Amino acid sequence: MGANASVIQKIYIAYFNRPADVAGLQYWEGQLDANKISLAGLAQSFSEQVEYQNTYGGKNTVTVVTALYQNLFGRAPDSGGLSYWTGQIDSAAINLGQAALAILNGASPLSDDGIAIANKLNFAERFTASLDTPAKAANYTSSLGLEAVKLVMSKVLAGAPVPTLTSHANLNFPSGHNTVNGTEAANGLKIDLDLKDLAVSVGYKLELMINGEPFTSRVVHTITMAEILAQKASIAVPGATFWGVDGGKSIGVKVSDIFGNTGDLGAETRIQLDTIAPAAGTSYTTRYNYANSTTHLELNIPQGELTGGHITLGSTETNTLARVDIISATDTKVAFDLNEAQNKSMYYGGYNVREYDSAGNVTTFNILNLPNAFLTGSDTKLTNPKNTSFIPVDGKGVLNTINASNSKLIVTADIVAGEATGGYASLSMNGFSVFDREILAGDTKLRFEINTDSAYALKALLGKGATASIELHTAAGSSAYSVGWSVLETRYLDGEAIQGGLTAPTGLIITPLGGKVSNSSPGTVVLNGSNVAISAEVSIVAGQATSGYAELWIGNQRIASNHNISITDTKLTFNIISAPLEAYDPQHLQYNVPKGGVAVVKLFDYAGHEVDSAGNLTVITNYSSLTGYDVATHPPPAEPVQIVGIQQDLVS
């Protein structure tokens, strides 16, 4: 580039607010170098070009001089300067070209005007030099190319660095602290970039780079006019974009103009990619204060996974009643103190927790599904039972499994000695419970015995496998549930012969209740018009139908059901009433037992095998009769026999 190139660039800036195009620079430089035109003549000739006429045609001298100042210095002229130069040009004392050179050369190099011109010249020279191919040079001379660079040139001022295609600004992530979480990686996110230090215009492109390289699926954004005016662009990263494995990343942008130039990768923003949600809490402890109706709740959390995050507690999955912030790397638990109103909300709703790590990943769960300890009185600590084991005690036993040779099973769990002295524990499996009712001061294990009468009965109860939950109780009333659900596996073979069977119920007794009792012959029961209900009892073999159920039928009518058969039950009771006897009249019995027939108890074990009772009674309904002996002489039980928790199924 020759010695005259800089002054030619300045004239282009003054008149047209843009760098010289390659052909124009070469032409005018050749004219000056060959002394075919003077510098003043060159400046004046610019006012005679088509581009000048397109820009200033029909405009007065005040407008043109104002534009020269704005193009050169980025400011309006002072009133004195504007008046002077306008007067000189309008009076023909000098021409516009001479005025332009005088305004250009009159700026002190150290003044804001001089620095603005120097910055604009720096940018113009670098830009023209970048048009190093015929295609780039031709693209610039299009109307879109010229307007794009004029827009950039307008931003070059004294107080700003010379703009380039290399960004020096950090990227701004939605999290506000430079993280990308699992939701953002899956659904996409927008990243903001400040455009103030960039030589960009409409149509320029921003490509997002990760660790210095393009994304597998390239992320490119085209700058809009709205973004130019706002001086901020938003780069949309589509959902499912591959960010790589979790960890630290360097994210930057490469800027490309519409002429085919691409800047260097400049400032990179260090981010943390964290797409894995934190693990749920492991257990919790509550202590209720009856004096002021408040609850202190402590939730055990995975250490280190929530550092810098927060936890909320609510009665639904979306509301927040309590929150804990500033979780450190060493925290293993967080505490919530709930007042009476919060306790009520929790009681009528749920105990829903949302864990947020520092990246914004969230894990939602209900703490009622976690092992817990409920403390009361003077109890200060109660550890959840753990390490549940299933031990077959007969046949060929394998730890934590049963097979066709087993009819008995011992279940154990570890506890901390001294925490539950004098208390008890219950084991729940497949709908039944067994107990360890004596916990001594030195006990470190709980022991539960599951005894059935045969391998057949044990298979019926546990043959499809089972999960076990243990609840530990102190003498003072505190409680704690076992950690996790322990799984019992089964090893049965199809068609394998298994000892035992389901024994038919025997000794069925049906007793009319209320009114007078009719005489009946052996093997029959007569119901008359004064009776209001019946009760029934039958004998079974303990351990055969645990967690199964039984039904009482009279003729083709199911009268009642018993769905609460425990492992030690030897008798089952049926009742068609639940309130005191006095609450019923004969219509109740006649509705539920409309006609007589053979009374049968159908017994079902947990696996669904069925057997009918033996030695059954015949029920005769004689509702038109009120005869019989007075119940005062042969009174029924003072209170009807009822079984807590039995579901009665009445059939009309």
Side-chain angles (χ1 to χ4, degrees):
M1 188 173 293
N4 292 313
S6 293
V7 71
I8 296 171
Q9 287 281 15
K10 289 179 181 179
I11 295 173
Y12 268 95
I13 295 169
Y15 277 105
F16 305 133
N17 189 37
R18 69 173 178 87
D21 55 275
V22 173
L25 180 63
Q26 291 176 345
Y27 173 78
W28 292 114
E29 194 174 12
Q31 293 292 303
L32 288 174
D33 289 346
N35 294 318
K36 293 181 179 180
I37 192 171
S38 67
L39 190 57
L42 183 150
Q44 180 60 24
S45 69
F46 264 58
S47 64
E48 301 165 359
Q49 303 299 314
V50 173
E51 185 174 355
Y52 178 90
Q53 295 302 320
N54 291 338
T55 305
Y56 302 108
K59 296 179 180 178
N60 59 33
T61 307
V62 170
T63 302
V64 175
V65 173
T66 299
L68 289 176
Y69 270 84
Q70 192 67 49
N71 292 343
L72 288 169
F73 310 131
R75 65 173 179 85
D78 57 274
S79 59
L82 177 62
S83 177
Y84 174 77
W85 292 116
T86 301
Q88 290 290 94
I89 295 171
D90 287 344
S91 67
I94 60 174
N95 60 33
L96 182 61
Q98 292 171 319
L101 288 176
I103 294 170
L104 178 63
N105 294 325
S108 169
L110 299 180
S111 67
D112 285 347
D113 288 347
I115 296 172
I117 293 173
N119 286 344
K120 288 176 181 287
L121 176 62
N122 188 348
F123 171 73
E125 289 177 338
R126 285 166 29 189
F127 176 80
T128 304
S130 74
L131 305 177
D132 51 6
T133 68
K136 290 181 181 180
N139 196 8
Y140 177 43
T141 57
S142 68
S143 59
L144 177 62
L146 293 173
E147 290 305 316
V149 178
K150 287 179 181 180
L151 191 59
V152 175
M153 183 65 82
S154 297
K155 297 196 306 179
V156 183
L157 303 170
V162 178
T164 68
L165 293 179
T166 300
S167 174
H168 300 291
N170 286 328
L171 292 162
N172 297 313
F173 284 75
S175 63
H177 44 265
N178 296 347
T179 59
V180 174
N181 61 41
T183 300
E184 291 168 332
N187 299 337
L189 71 158
K190 287 186 177 180
I191 304 171
D192 293 336
L193 176 66
D194 193 324
L195 300 180
K196 290 178 181 177
D197 73 331
L198 280 172
V200 293
S201 184
V202 179
Y204 285 33
K205 296 185 184 301
L206 307 174
E207 180 170 8
L208 201 66
M209 311 293 283
I210 182 167
N211 294 337
E213 299 293 334
F215 280 77
T216 304
S217 297
R218 300 180 85 105
V219 179
V220 180
H221 172 76
T222 302
I223 297 174
T224 66
M225 176 56 76
E227 290 173 328
I228 292 296
L229 296 175
Q231 293 290 279
K232 183 179 75 172
S234 294
I235 305 170
V237 184
T241 295
F242 181 65
W243 290 77
V245 298
D246 281 7
K249 311 287 180 185
S250 294
I251 309 297
V253 292
K254 277 197 172 182
V255 185
S256 299
D257 61 21
I258 60 176
F259 314 106
N261 299 308
T262 299
D264 295 329
L265 180 64
E268 293 182 276
T269 301
R270 190 70 179 171
I271 70 158
Q272 190 70 22
L273 177 65
D274 180 0
T275 61
I276 300 175
T282 56
S283 62
Y284 69 99
T285 300
T286 58
R287 182 184 294 278
Y288 185 73
N289 188 328
Y290 292 94
N292 56 16
S293 301
T294 61
T295 296
H296 180 76
L297 186 153
E298 290 186 353
L299 173 66
N300 294 315
I301 60 173
Q303 183 177 350
E305 293 191 28
L306 291 166
T307 305
H310 66 276
I311 297 180
T312 66
L313 177 67
S315 58
T316 70
E317 291 187 356
T318 56
N319 76 338
T320 298
L321 294 178
R323 172 172 169 149
V324 175
D325 291 297
I326 315 177
I327 301 174
S328 73
T330 58
D331 286 342
T332 58
K333 64 177 60 179
V334 294
F336 301 94
D337 288 295
L338 308 177
N339 59 34
E340 183 176 8
Q342 291 170 323
N343 277 330
K344 288 181 178 179
S345 295
M346 294 295 183
Y347 180 79
Y348 291 113
Y351 287 76
N352 295 284
V353 172
R354 296 187 299 276
E355 295 178 339
Y356 298 86
D357 63 18
S358 59
N361 296 299
V362 59
T363 295
T364 302
F365 58 93
N366 192 307
I367 65 173
L368 298 181
N369 297 324
L370 300 179
N372 74 87
F374 178 80
L375 301 182
T376 185
S378 60
D379 288 344
T380 58
K381 183 179 181 182
L382 188 57
T383 305
N384 303 96
K386 59 184 179 180
N387 300 330
T388 302
S389 297
F390 304 92
I391 308 167
V393 295
D394 63 345
K396 296 179 180 179
V398 178
L399 184 66
N400 296 329
T401 66
I402 56 172
N403 56 47
S405 69
N406 305 132
S407 63
K408 294 178 174 55
L409 186 67
I410 300 295
V411 182
T412 65
D414 294 340
I415 61 173
V416 176
E419 287 188 352
T421 304
Y424 71 96
S426 61
L427 165 72
S428 297
M429 293 176 65
N430 286 8
F432 72 95
S433 297
V434 292
F435 297 86
D436 181 344
R437 296 191 180 278
E438 185 179 28
I439 301 177
L440 304 178
D443 285 350
T444 58
K445 281 189 180 294
L446 301 174
R447 176 185 171 90
F448 307 93
E449 295 186 7
I450 301 174
N451 297 317
T452 65
D453 79 319
S454 64
Y456 184 93
L458 188 64
K459 181 182 179 183
L461 181 61
L462 302 173
K464 295 181 180 179
T467 55
S469 175
I470 296 173
E471 186 172 2
L472 178 65
H473 299 265
T474 70
S478 298
S479 60
Y481 285 91
S482 56
V483 176
W485 286 88
S486 301
V487 179
L488 170 69
E489 297 181 0
T490 59
R491 296 183 180 179
Y492 292 99
L493 303 177
D494 291 341
E496 184 178 19
I498 301 178
Q499 175 195 4
L502 186 58
T503 304
T506 60
L508 175 61
I509 300 172
I510 296 178
T511 304
L513 301 176
K516 296 182 179 182
V517 179
S518 297
N519 291 317
S520 58
S521 59
T524 64
V525 175
V526 178
L527 304 178
N528 64 50
S530 70
N531 303 138
V532 300
I534 62 171
S535 67
E537 182 181 274
V538 71
S539 297
I540 62 171
V541 177
Q544 286 190 352
T546 307
S547 292
Y549 65 99
E551 298 174 341
L552 172 65
W553 289 70
I554 297 178
N556 62 356
Q557 179 101 19
R558 186 177 62 184
I559 305 302
S561 300
N562 184 327
H563 285 265
N564 190 31
I565 303 176
S566 75
I567 199 167
T568 57
D569 282 347
T570 58
K571 290 186 181 295
L572 301 179
T573 303
F574 303 89
N575 231 310
I576 65 169
I577 60 175
S578 58
L581 196 61
E582 292 78 8
Y584 300 93
D585 59 34
Q587 289 183 348
H588 181 76
L589 175 62
Q590 294 169 29
Y591 176 80
N592 286 287
V593 188
K595 58 184 178 180
V598 176
V600 177
V601 172
K602 298 179 180 293
L603 180 65
F604 300 84
D605 64 20
Y606 188 74
H609 305 119
E610 177 192 355
V611 66
D612 293 348
S613 58
N616 297 313
L617 298 171
T618 298
V619 176
I620 300 171
T621 55
N622 187 13
Y623 293 135
S624 62
S625 171
L626 298 175
T627 60
Y629 55 88
D630 197 315
V631 295
T633 308
H634 299 80
E639 294 184 3
V641 177
Q642 298 181 39
I643 302 177
V644 176
I646 294 180
Q647 174 186 343
Q648 296 180 347
D649 190 355
L650 305 182
V651 179
S652 59

